[in-house]
Amino acid sequence: VQLQASGGGLVQPGGSLTLSCAASGSIFSLDGMAWYRQAPGKERELVARLISGSSPIYAESVKGRFAISRDNAKKTVYLQMNMLEPEDTAVYYCNADGMETTPMLRPFLSWGQGTQVTVSS
């Protein structure tokens, strides 16, 4: 299963961006879809996660500013980021888990390639 992330860029403090991540491949089911980020010199951290049928989970630092959503028909997860701060500058990675059918029915865990978000005036 492959994940393709897009939507990063340069934005001023207080601005907004929307990230997208589309899954493709031999997908039997998509369970959890999430966004992580990694700032220079820091460890990768969970930003938001959405599991089918459950409420989203957010990092404390983004609650009230970011919103995760998914379109199951398009196998795509989104991250709407509002009121961006310089501290949000990082490479953002999408992540998905579920079941794939190739070469057999089995669990998968995949990562996207990362998209850079820079918040600066």
Side-chain angles (χ1 to χ4, degrees):
V1 176
Q2 299 79 43
L3 300 180
Q4 180 68 46
S6 61
L10 173 64
V11 63
Q12 293 187 342
S16 298
L17 276 177
T18 300
L19 306 181
S20 301
C21 177
S24 62
S26 303
I27 300 169
F28 179 79
S29 65
L30 272 177
D31 300 327
M33 301 189 81
W35 288 95
Y36 288 73
R37 66 186 180 187
Q38 187 166 19
K42 295 188 177 181
E43 293 188 353
R44 191 173 297 189
E45 63 174 358
L46 176 67
V47 176
R49 185 162 191 248
L50 187 56
I51 301 173
S52 291
S54 299
S55 299
I57 298 171
Y58 295 98
E60 283 296 325
S61 60
V62 307
K63 280 184 180 178
R65 301 188 297 122
F66 291 11
I68 187 171
S69 62
R70 58 191 282 177
D71 183 330
N72 291 325
K74 295 182 178 179
K75 297 184 177 62
T76 300
V77 63
Y78 304 95
L79 185 68
Q80 174 67 45
M81 303 184 292
N82 300 317
M83 296 182 286
L84 283 160
E85 304 168 353
E87 294 72 24
D88 296 315
T89 295
V91 177
Y92 284 70
Y93 298 90
C94 58
N95 162 289
D97 62 84
M99 297 293 289
E100 62 181 354
T101 60
T102 301
M104 65 186 74
L105 186 64
R106 65 182 184 181
F108 76 88
L109 174 64
S110 295
W111 288 88
Q113 82 283 13
T115 183
Q116 177 71 47
V117 172
T118 302
V119 185
S120 175
S121 55

